[in-house]
Structure formats: structure tokens, C-alpha cells
Amino acid sequence: MTAFKLGLLLLVMNFVHSELITNETAAREFANEVNAGSEVVMYNFVAASWNYNTNITTENQQAMVDESLKLALFDQAVEANASRYDWKNFSDTDLNRLFSKLVDIGTAAMTDKVKLERLNNIMSEMEAIYSTGKVCLTENNCLPLDPDLSRLMATSTDYDELLTVWKGWRDATGAKIKDLYKEFVSLSNEAIVQNGYPDTGAYWKSWYDTPTFEEDLKTLFETLKPLYVNLHAYTRKKLKERYGADKFPTSGHIPAHILGNMWAQTWGNLFDLLEPYPGKDDIDVTPQMVQQNYTAEKMFQVSDEFFKSLGLIEMPSEFWDHSMLKKPTDGRDVVCHASAWDFYNKKDFRVKQCTDITMEDLITVHHEMGHIEYYLQYKDQHVVYRDGANPGFHEAVGDVISLSVQTPTHLQKIGLLPEVTNDEEAEINFLMKMALQKIAFLPFGYLIDQWRWSVFSGETTPDNYNQKWWDLRCGLQGISPPEDRTEDDFDPGAKFHIPGNTPYIRYFVSFVIQFQFHKSLCQAAGQNVPLHQCDIYQSTAAGQKLSEMLKLGSSKPWPEAMMMIAGEDKMNAAALMEYFQPLTTWLIEQNDVYKLVFAESNP
Ligand code: X8Z
Ligand code: ZN
């Protein structure tokens, strides 16, 4: 049946019935028809979206918006007709769960077509401004984020040059997005209210289906904070040696532009400066990758090989034929921020990434491949279940794999690390590298949606957008703006996920639960070593355990999926703490005193 016919049928059915339908066999049939119709409408939307993301033009934008409107109409019809069933009282709990998802249609609930179209246009415009943003260092030298500005932020040690780029990026993106974002917030909320939620943030939180979600997050954050604060204090001390203490505020904050990353979200690019025992093994394998003429394709093949070694599903030929693994050189504007795509036809799965030949991007490659592996594993589920157990699960899959990939012994196995030393100093070096990736990120991952939830709920209004942003950045990350910011600036808009409207708490969740997954998969693999040394490569037992969980998609509440893979049904920071224990001890010794408050710690 075509999507159009199904839509029509659904609408007609809407007028025929008046009482709630209790027949569960009929309900199952209805759900199956919706599945077939959804696959078509979703495919059309994803394909149009892909076209826009890989070639930003006004025609492609219009085509994408058109498809998103068709999808919204389809969703509205499904919702209206699913609501004709007495699904809340179904005896079949799966059918009940399925229907609860059919009626939960997000911003597609907006009935005013003009507003819905405007909402979709705003979203694509914000994405275009972000993705085509450039910073001009001189009149004739204007650089995009990827790869140029990212590389500059990663490698420059010139305080003023970093400041020019940092500020330039925020002028080129955030400041231009603020008015659109204001309008977006109001339209998105208007749509979501029609779907029965108080605001967009509440809707996003509902995906975790945990009444204590925010408290749970806070508990996790508080548990992990001392480790972050120790890393922060050590990093600040080293950065002071590099840039001079006069560049640092007396409050104990670190200027936001000198942490090796445009948003100070991960600090791995400072490893040279922060390496505890310099002169040990070269655990940053970027030079090796360059020397061995690594290409983007090669990086994806390396990742595919790891998944295969676990007995998981390899990438289908469509993946290799249609993915965009490199930034195009034909002058097209594209959305460079890496993403993984499910076309909902059970065949077409793609990655879009402007891959740079670096270790950092090799990790992102595994991250994206994790998303695709999840898509492949749950492809036979109903469309509404083709999703992560919760959004954090989806983000964790590839990261779990890269926890193994990054161990020095594994890097040696795949020829990227000529020498591996097994002593305590090498171990601390390695854990420092991992901490700059995993621990440095925690407050950033935690705060983005603290900001957004407060914006969506109306607690933070447009005249306080930037102030609230910096309150969170200073208070939780312990970083400060390198120069005065005002409400003409809109610094949240300079981070992809704000204009791209991708919720962010999923990454904080992922950074915690990926260590729970890792620990349990390591046990399945029979790896009797400290957690940070474990490499599950070639363990089909670990692969089997992972695969069983992935296959569920979102068909079961996430605590069940968690129980299956981790043997416990809650998020828990213990595995993460265990992984970093030797470094925690080392940092405490280095820092001498345990400094818990940024404002009071200024060695
Ligand atoms: O956006 C991503 C992925 C795509 S889901 C590349 N990540 C976050 C970011 O870049 O800010 C991965 C970790 C955090
Ligand atoms: Zn991701």
C-alpha cells in the first residue's frame, strides 16, 4: 500500500468509528499497516533530509520541508486513528507499548500547517547558518569549522590566535542564530503542548521514562565531580605554565578557548602538555595514521573489522556505496557534523562525516559505526521500536567498542602503535589520555540540556539566554569566557546540537553507561585484567551479549535492556570510577589538596 492510500484510509476510518475499539487482533493489523506506510513516508523524509545535509541549497531545503510536512500529516493521521483503540486497556503489553508510541508524535502534533512549515524552515535555516559558518583570519582567508578551525583550536598554542578563532566562530554562528532560536522555542513548545506535554524539554525527558531522571543525573554528576575537579586543577596548573598565570582569572576558572577544542568539551588535544610521564609510548596515534597513509575509507574498514570480529553484522554494500565519508571537494556546502542514518527500508544505512585523518576522528568513526550497528540489529522491529532502549544507549554502542580499540595493546595489534610498555607510568599516561576524552566531557554533557530545559520551560528567557549559558559553563565546567559576553552574543548557538536541535543529555548518560556495558562485556569475554586494559576484540561471547540487547531496539523499557547487558537495571557510575581508579589516586597526589570548589582553588 502506498503511504498516500494508507493516509486516506486512516482518515476515512477516523469518521467511521466512534467507540473505542477493543479488538486486539484488529489493533495488531492496524499497527502492521502503519509500519508498512511509515517505512515509505520515513524513507522519503530521510532521503530528502540526506540530500539537504549533503548539499545545502534552497531547493533541497524546500524538498526536505515538504517531506517533513507529509510525514507530520501521516503521523497526525496515525495518532488520530490509534487513539480510536482502547489501547491503554489492552491485555497484550507489547501492543499497549506500541500504541503508546504511535500516539506520541512530538512536534508533528502541530495542527496549524503554516506554523509547522515555519518551524521546519527555521530548523533548516539554523542548521545552514551553522554549517556554512566561516571565520576570516584575513580578508582572503576565511575558514570553515571542519577541518580548518577545529585543527587550529586543536594545535595552536598562540593565545591570541585561539581567541580570534573562538570569538570569530561565535560571531559567525551563534549571534546570527539567536532570533531564529527564540522563535523556534516558542513554535516547538506550541506544537509539543498539543501533544500533551508541558514543554519541549519535558517531552525530551519523557523518552527516559524515569520519574527520578533529573535526580538520578544529579547524583551521578555529584559522584563523578571530584574526579573532574582534580583533572581540572591539574590541567589549569599546566596551562598556567604554558600561557602565564596573568591570563587566568583569580576565581580559579580556565579561559574557555585554550583547552584544544572549540567548545572545551574534550581536552585530548592537550595531551602533549598534560602527559604525566613524557617520552613513553606514542599513544596518540595520529602521526602513525598519517605516516601509514590512512584514508577515511580505511578508518571505517578498521572499525567494520572490529564489529565483525565480535560476530556482529558487517556493513552492507549500500553503506559503502552511498555514505559520505569525506568532505566533498566540489564546492558543495554540507553539514559536516558527523551523523549516522537509518533510511527505514532495512537496506540503506549511511554515515555522513567529514573525516580527518586523526585519532580523534578514528574514535568518532567507531562512534558512528555503533549507531549503524544498532540500526542493523533492530531493523526487523516495528518502526516505532527502531530506536535505542533510550537515547543514551544509542550513543554508547560505538563508544564501548572504542574503549577496547584505544587500549595500547589493541592499537599495537592493528599496527598503529609500534611499542607498548607495560609499566605504571605508561598506564597513567594512557588513563590521562582517556580522562581528557571521558572525564573532561562530563560537565559539558550534563549542562547543555540543563540550559535547554530551562529555556523550554520559560525559566530562562531570551534576555538571559547567554547569561544562563555562562552561569552553567562557569559553575559546572569551571571555565570562563575569555572576554566579556553580552546578550547580543548567543554562545549556545555556536555548538551544533543547539541549531541542529539534537538533545544532549544522551551523551552524559552514554558516558556513564558505556563503562557499565564495557565491564560486563569484558566479563563475558573472560578478560581477567583491570577494566582499562580490557579489549573485547574477537570475543563472540561479548558480541552475542551486545547483540541480544541491540536487537530489542526500544521494544522494552530500558531498565530491562540494561539488565540484559549489564546485570543491573540502573545507571551506575561505579564502573567508570573503577576504570579511572589509578589515575584518580595519581591526580590527588599531584594536586596535593582535594579542591572541590573552582572558585576557591587557584594554585
Ligand atoms: O555529536 C556527537 C556525535 C554524533 S551523535 C559525533 N557527539 C557529541 C558531540 O560531538 O558534541 C559525540 C560525543 C558528543
Ligand atoms: Zn552519536
Side-chain angles (χ1 to χ4, degrees):
M1 175 167 356
T2 65
F4 178 72
K5 274 196 202 149
L6 179 69
L8 216 60
L9 174 71
L10 295 170
L11 283 171
V12 172
M13 284 162 65
N14 203 14
F15 295 108
V16 177
H17 296 285
S18 54
E19 295 214 336
L20 287 183
I21 307 162
T22 53
N23 182 336
E24 297 189 24
T25 315
R28 180 63 73 179
E29 252 170 57
F30 168 76
N32 290 344
E33 278 175 25
V34 169
N35 187 53
S38 274
E39 283 187 347
V40 177
V41 194
M42 299 280 278
Y43 176 87
N44 291 340
F45 170 65
V46 175
S49 219
W50 172 269
N51 290 342
Y52 177 66
N53 275 255
T54 55
N55 188 9
I56 304 175
T57 64
T58 39
E59 296 79 50
N60 286 347
Q61 175 176 345
Q62 190 56 52
M64 176 175 76
V65 171
D66 288 350
E67 290 305 330
S68 74
L69 292 179
K70 284 187 207 159
L71 176 59
L73 288 186
F74 179 84
D75 285 348
Q76 285 176 13
V78 170
E79 188 274 327
N81 285 284
S83 301
R84 304 202 54 77
Y85 288 82
D86 193 18
W87 59 269
K88 287 184 186 154
N89 295 312
F90 282 166
S91 57
D92 180 341
T93 49
D94 174 66
L95 207 51
N96 167 283
R97 181 173 178 84
L98 209 154
F99 268 67
S100 73
K101 290 183 181 286
L102 287 179
V103 299
D104 203 19
I105 61 173
T107 52
M110 178 89 102
T111 45
D112 184 325
K113 282 210 199 69
V114 176
K115 286 186 176 170
L116 190 57
E117 182 160 4
R118 176 73 190 142
L119 176 60
N120 284 300
N121 268 313
I122 292 178
M123 291 200 286
S124 37
E125 274 164 38
M126 291 193 298
E127 199 155 30
I129 293 172
Y130 182 90
S131 298
T132 59
K134 288 197 170 62
V135 175
C136 299
L137 295 182
T138 60
E139 208 184 317
N140 300 317
N141 185 21
C142 298
L143 303 174
L145 180 65
D146 292 305
D148 307 71
L149 300 178
S150 301
R151 275 189 201 162
L152 239 151
M153 294 303 294
T155 54
S156 172
T157 53
D158 178 334
Y159 188 94
D160 294 330
E161 182 182 44
L162 287 168
L163 181 54
T164 305
V165 173
W166 186 92
K167 186 177 171 333
W169 179 246
R170 281 151 183 80
D171 290 344
T173 56
K176 295 191 177 146
I177 284 167
K178 178 165 180 175
D179 287 342
L180 286 169
Y181 199 76
K182 254 196 299 198
E183 200 185 342
F184 159 76
V185 168
S186 132
L187 284 171
S188 178
N189 277 341
E190 194 176 331
I192 286 297
V193 166
Q194 293 178 47
N195 202 24
Y197 293 91
D199 66 73
T200 308
Y203 174 57
W204 290 2
K205 282 177 255 180
S206 77
W207 299 331
Y208 294 85
D209 201 15
T210 312
T212 53
F213 186 50
E214 284 179 84
E215 292 152 52
D216 295 352
L217 293 172
K218 191 166 191 318
T219 307
L220 291 170
F221 184 68
E222 293 301 330
T223 309
L224 296 164
K225 191 172 160 185
L227 179 49
Y228 177 78
V229 173
N230 274 304
L231 183 66
H232 179 278
Y234 171 76
T235 303
R236 179 182 48 202
K237 182 163 151 276
K238 291 284 178 182
L239 283 169
K240 279 187 176 177
E241 285 164 22
R242 172 178 278 179
Y243 293 107
D246 59 314
K247 295 280 199 298
F248 290 71
T250 51
S251 56
H253 294 84
I254 301 176
H257 65 304
I258 54 170
L259 286 145
N261 174 278
M262 184 61 91
W263 311 275
Q265 68 182 65
T266 50
W267 307 344
N269 292 315
L270 297 183
F271 183 67
D272 278 357
L273 175 73
L274 304 180
E275 189 175 17
Y277 301 99
K280 289 262 161 188
D281 314 332
D282 277 332
I283 51 178
D284 183 341
V285 300
T286 300
Q288 270 295 329
M289 291 168 64
V290 173
Q291 199 189 319
Q292 295 181 27
N293 294 322
Y294 258 60
T295 58
E297 287 76 15
K298 166 81 179 165
M299 289 158 73
F300 280 87
Q301 281 157 7
V302 165
S303 178
D304 191 33
E305 208 274 316
F306 196 106
F307 282 95
K308 277 194 282 190
S309 88
L310 301 179
L312 295 171
I313 307 174
E314 67 181 308
M315 293 301 119
S317 58
E318 288 83 356
F319 173 86
W320 300 107
D321 292 345
H322 301 305
S323 285
M324 188 197 96
L325 305 183
K326 293 193 281 270
K327 185 171 181 173
T329 49
D330 56 9
R332 253 183 297 158
D333 277 318
V334 300
V335 176
C336 262
H337 191 88
S339 52
W341 298 61
D342 180 353
F343 283 67
Y344 293 95
N345 62 356
K346 309 188 185 194
K347 284 206 286 273
D348 213 334
F349 306 93
R350 307 181 193 175
V351 162
K352 175 186 64 55
Q353 186 174 341
C354 297
T355 316
D356 203 3
I357 312 301
T358 62
M359 184 171 183
E360 197 176 351
D361 268 23
L362 184 63
I363 295 159
T364 306
V365 164
H366 287 81
H367 176 93
E368 297 308 329
M369 292 289 258
H371 286 306
I372 304 278
E373 186 63 35
Y374 217 155
Y375 299 153
L376 288 164
Q377 293 280 346
Y378 62 48
K379 73 176 171 40
D380 296 319
Q381 290 280 357
H382 191 286
V383 164
V384 294
Y385 291 154
R386 289 184 214 170
D387 217 339
N390 73 36
F393 277 59
H394 228 302
E395 299 305 333
V397 181
D399 284 18
V400 169
I401 302 300
S402 81
L403 286 178
S404 287
V405 172
Q406 291 183 76
T407 55
T409 44
H410 187 82
L411 290 174
Q412 187 180 36
K413 260 181 226 162
I414 61 173
L416 284 174
L417 197 55
E419 266 173 79
V420 174
T421 316
N422 279 321
D423 64 19
E424 229 171 88
E425 294 188 348
E427 180 167 62
I428 294 296
N429 276 355
F430 168 68
L431 283 175
M432 175 60 76
K433 182 103 185 24
M434 295 307 292
L436 297 175
Q437 196 185 119
K438 301 295 181 188
I439 304 300
F441 180 79
L442 294 169
F444 185 79
Y446 182 63
L447 74 81
I448 303 274
D449 282 351
Q450 303 288 331
W451 180 84
R452 242 182 325 201
W453 294 337
S454 105
V455 164
F456 283 131
S457 76
E459 184 199 315
T460 297
T461 51
D463 49 338
N464 280 313
Y465 276 173
N466 223 31
Q467 182 62 48
K468 175 73 178 181
W469 176 256
W470 281 107
D471 287 349
L472 290 164
R473 293 268 270 168
C474 297
L476 297 175
Q477 266 187 293
I479 62 170
S480 54
E483 45 170 54
D484 286 347
R485 308 307 281 162
T486 71
E487 291 303 329
D488 290 334
D489 301 307
F490 180 55
D491 296 325
K495 171 66 193 165
F496 173 79
H497 300 68
I498 302 294
N501 196 32
T502 308
Y504 211 83
I505 200 64
R506 57 187 57 181
Y507 302 110
F508 178 77
V509 170
S510 158
F511 275 51
V512 174
I513 66 176
Q514 62 187 249
F515 287 89
Q516 290 175 264
F517 295 1
H518 184 56
K519 180 167 181 173
S520 168
L521 295 181
C522 289
Q523 277 160 0
Q527 290 260 315
N528 208 4
V529 291
L531 197 49
H532 59 271
Q533 286 173 14
C534 159
D535 170 16
I536 62 170
Y537 189 53
Q538 291 176 331
S539 167
T540 49
Q544 176 73 22
K545 186 155 205 174
L546 180 57
S547 150
E548 274 165 20
M549 187 277 280
L550 298 179
K551 276 190 193 346
L552 292 178
S554 62
S555 64
K556 296 274 191 286
W558 71 261
E560 275 182 49
M562 176 70 97
M563 182 55 96
M564 229 166 146
I565 188 168
E568 56 187 334
D569 62 2
K570 291 198 166 48
M571 299 187 279
N572 187 340
L576 175 47
M577 298 292 281
E578 178 187 333
Y579 183 99
F580 284 106
Q581 188 50 55
L583 182 74
T584 306
T585 311
W586 186 86
L587 277 171
I588 291 172
E589 272 167 30
Q590 290 294 310
N591 290 338
D592 200 26
V593 253
Y594 206 58
K595 298 165 191 75
L596 284 176
V597 186
F598 299 118
E600 288 169 8
S601 56
N602 192 27

